[in-house]
């Protein structure tokens, strides 16, 4: 099938004008106006013709239009009702034969619990204000997602992919590591968007691994991670007080986990956080 003509700056602006839609900061509405950027995202996403992609925040359809020829189906979740209603119209106009392969859901992605089909991939230019929680929500809710490729704020891309010991290592780094291996997949400038954001962007890929940890320990592990980085300059014996009790109990739990109570969260890898959760569960 021949590739549909992708949307450029003129088409995106004309579409927004025809819908009387002004991009809002609140919903992170920065639309991609550069066909090369969407081609790059699709290329980096490692897709094949039998894949089902879930796209969060399709907006005016720049990326959706490039995804459709590559996969079996795209399920697009868009919170803005005007944009969600317009998307099938835009796809029919630019790629009529592919319109049947698109399902649009007008909803807040953070509240999605089920989808009409099991996605194999998550591919999105994410709304930057909710990028980490929304990705974690989808990884947890849809185990069929084996890989994601998302565009996020550059700083968030760095955090997602960071390892222990670095300044930018934090909650997103540890929680993402629960699900898979995260790698940065390139930088993106500001001028590929309309309106141009105040921050640089970056691509991030994650390939899911079979978790070696008991899924039942995840919630407690994540609470410990939140507490450890909530006061990241404090030692674990102090920072974990809010969830693990008084200092002597915390010390005992940390020692049972083989972790130095004088260490800080930023020094610990996922395995150590899981060990703390397992030790805590035994005494809770
Ligand atoms: N994918 C489009 C593109 O690349 O041009 C638009 C990307 S724009 C950065 C983010 C999109 O996510 C907007 O269309 C916005 O309305 C939508 N959005 C924001 N918050 C959302 C949420 N909680 N659930 C679903 N969509 C959301």
């Amino acid at each position: 099938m021949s590739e549909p003509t992708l949307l450029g700056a003129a088409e995106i602006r004309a579409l927004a004008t025809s819908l009387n839609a002004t991009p809002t900061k609140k919903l992170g509405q920065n639309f991609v106006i550069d066909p090369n950027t969407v081609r790059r995202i699709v290329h980096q996403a490692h897709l094949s013709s039998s894949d089902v992609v879930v796209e969060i925040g399709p907006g005016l359809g720049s990326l959706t239009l490039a995804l459709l020829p590559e996969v079996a189906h795209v399920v697009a979740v868009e919170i803005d009702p005007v944009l969600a209603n317009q998307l099938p119209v835009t796809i029919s106009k630019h790629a009529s034969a592919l319109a049947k392969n698109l399902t649009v859901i007008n909803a807040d992605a953070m509240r999605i619990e089920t989808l009409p089909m099991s996605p194999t991939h998550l591919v999105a230019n994410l709304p930057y204000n909710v990028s980490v929680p929304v990705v974690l929500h989808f990884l947890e809710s849809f185990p069929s997602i084996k890989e994601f490729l998302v565009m996020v704020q550059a700083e968030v891309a760095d955090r997602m992919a960071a390892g222990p010991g670095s300044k930018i290592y934090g909650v997103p780094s540890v929680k993402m590591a629960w699900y898979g291996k995260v790698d940065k997949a390139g930088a993106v400038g500001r001028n590929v968007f309309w309106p141009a954001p105040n921050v640089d962007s970056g691509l991030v890929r994650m390939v899911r691994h079979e978790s070696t940890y008991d899924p039942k320990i995840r919630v407690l592990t994540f609470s410990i991670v939140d507490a450890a980085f909530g006061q990241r300059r404090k030692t674990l014996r102090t920072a974990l007080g809010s969830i693990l009790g008084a200092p002597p109990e915390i010390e005992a739990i940390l020692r049972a986990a083989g972790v130095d109570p004088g260490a800080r969260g930023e020094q610990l890898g996922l395995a150590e956080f899981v060990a703390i959760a397992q030790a805590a569960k035994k005494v809770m």
Side-chain angles (χ1 to χ4, degrees), residues 145-176:
I145 295 175
K146 57 182 186 199
E147 194 162 335
F148 76 61
L149 191 287
V150 293
M151 179 144 71
V152 292
Q153 191 177 333
E155 195 195 314
V156 174
D158 291 342
R159 281 180 194 280
M160 283 179 165
S166 65
K167 272 210 171 111
I168 51 168
Y169 179 66
V171 173
S173 334
V174 191
K175 291 186 179 176
M176 289 289 167

Side-chain angles (χ1 to χ4, degrees), residues 37 227 254:
T37 301
L254 291 170

Side-chain angles (χ1 to χ4, degrees), residues 12 24 26-33 38 41 55-64 76-81 83 105-112 123-130 134 138 151 192-194:
I12 291 289
T24 72
K26 188 170 157 243
L27 293 179
Q29 291 178 333
N30 301 95
F31 302 112
V32 174
I33 51 170
V38 292
I41 294 174
E55 183 190 1
I56 298 167
L60 291 165
S62 315
L63 180 56
T64 322
V77 183
E78 172 59 58
I79 197 169
D80 185 325
L83 303 188
I105 300 174
N106 177 207
D108 179 348
M110 286 302 294
R111 294 176 182 275
I112 290 280
V123 184
N125 168 21
L126 290 171
Y128 288 2
N129 43 350
V130 291
V134 90
F138 271 67
M151 179 144 71
V192 304
F193 299 95
W194 173 75

